[in-house]
Amino acid sequence: MIVTIDGPAGAGKSSAARQLAKRLGFHFLDTGAMYRAVVYTAIERGIDLTDADALEQVAASIDIQLTDDSVLVDGQDVTRAIRTQAITTATRYAADHPGIRARLVELQRAAAEGQDFVTEGRDQGSIVFPNAECKVFLTASERVRAERRYHDLISRGEDLTFDDVLEKQQQRDERDATRPVGALIQADDAVVLVTDGMSAEEVVDRLHDIVMQHR
Ligand code: C5P
């Protein structure tokens, strides 16, 4: 069974999807981490992110391993390093690149082959797994999403203001919604879950109910 969870930045997809997968005994795939890993590696290698060919070369040459709670690039643990605000902002260079998207989509489909999977991102229900048995569009109001992300970044020791986070989120929403390939769209058959006012546990409970209704 494939369960897709798509939605905008800060909707709480990653943690909810991870918890849901644990509860169901399914594998979990955080596809945003793959785009982040490509850009992180390119920066580490001193590559100009606007050089589309060089960036695609990085995506084609690295080995990305995603376990349930860590991200390894060529064996190096980058789990925390790919979560900074700087990488979050720069990830658009990989996400906007059709060739890199094609490569990562291929890896995502291969990872899910023959497995029970919860996968989260922007295009999982619409493009990557159009025949998924259960699709969820997880969202929350702009302010709630920015507040969650702000508290998350502060707790990781980053120095930024709420307004910075809100502004960057608005820019990311705009890019996610308008990119020519792999834009964030709600699949026609997705169940919409708005998480304003819900605790993390309530979100997972609700997701679990939705999956059970699709089994
Ligand atoms: O979900 P996360 O914030 O980690 O995603 C990082 C970036 O990767 C997003 O801003 C989005 O632009 C991009 N992304 C994407 N397609 C996906 C997952 C993430 O374009 N399936």
Side-chain angles (χ1 to χ4, degrees):
M1 181 180 194
I2 304 275
V3 179
T4 62
I5 302 183
D6 292 301
K13 297 184 301 296
S14 279
S15 43
R18 180 175 278 114
Q19 288 307 318
L20 174 69
K22 251 191 202 137
R23 206 186 279 188
L24 292 165
F26 285 18
H27 292 283
F28 166 63
L29 189 65
D30 170 357
T31 61
M34 301 171 89
Y35 291 91
R36 290 170 180 271
V38 169
V39 163
Y40 173 79
T41 307
I43 293 172
E44 285 285 286
R45 293 185 184 173
I47 284 163
D48 174 2
L49 297 179
T50 63
D51 182 341
D53 290 343
L55 196 58
E56 188 165 7
Q57 193 49 42
V58 172
S61 66
I62 59 175
D63 173 49
I64 306 173
Q65 293 290 333
L66 298 176
T67 69
D68 286 349
D69 43 29
S70 63
V71 184
L72 304 182
V73 173
D74 293 334
Q76 185 201 342
D77 190 335
V78 299
T79 316
R80 279 182 72 84
I82 61 170
R83 300 269 154 216
T84 62
Q85 183 64 52
I87 296 295
T88 299
T89 303
T91 296
R92 70 186 173 85
Y93 290 101
D96 286 346
H97 192 308
I100 294 177
R101 295 203 76 88
R103 159 103 183 137
L104 296 186
V105 165
E106 204 178 284
L107 293 177
Q108 291 156 17
R109 289 186 180 139
E113 187 74 42
Q115 316 244 31
D116 288 323
F117 238 81
V118 176
T119 176
E120 68 93 352
R122 304 292 187 285
D123 55 354
Q124 300 298 289
S126 57
I127 290 176
V128 187
F129 300 105
N131 299 322
E133 287 80 0
C134 177
K135 300 180 186 178
V136 180
F137 191 83
L138 193 75
T139 188
S141 64
E142 183 179 83
R143 229 185 148 75
V144 166
R145 291 189 287 119
E147 274 164 10
R148 286 182 187 150
R149 187 148 178 84
Y150 172 69
H151 291 301
D152 182 40
L153 287 166
I154 292 292
S155 72
R156 289 166 194 263
E158 290 220 28
D159 178 22
L160 29 70
T161 67
F162 174 75
D163 287 344
D164 285 339
V165 174
L166 183 61
E167 192 191 329
K168 294 221 164 68
Q169 177 182 282
Q170 285 164 339
Q171 291 163 357
R172 208 144 71 99
D173 283 353
E174 170 72 18
R175 292 197 84 90
D176 280 352
T178 57
R179 76 170 45 96
V181 183
L184 172 64
I185 10 167
Q186 191 184 307
D188 290 342
D189 48 350
V191 177
V192 181
L193 181 57
V194 181
T195 64
D196 285 28
M198 290 172 81
S199 68
E201 203 182 349
E202 283 167 341
V203 174
V204 180
D205 287 346
R206 186 72 195 98
L207 287 171
H208 191 261
D209 290 347
I210 294 169
V211 172
M212 289 303 140
Q213 285 158 15
H214 287 77
R215 275 202 123 164

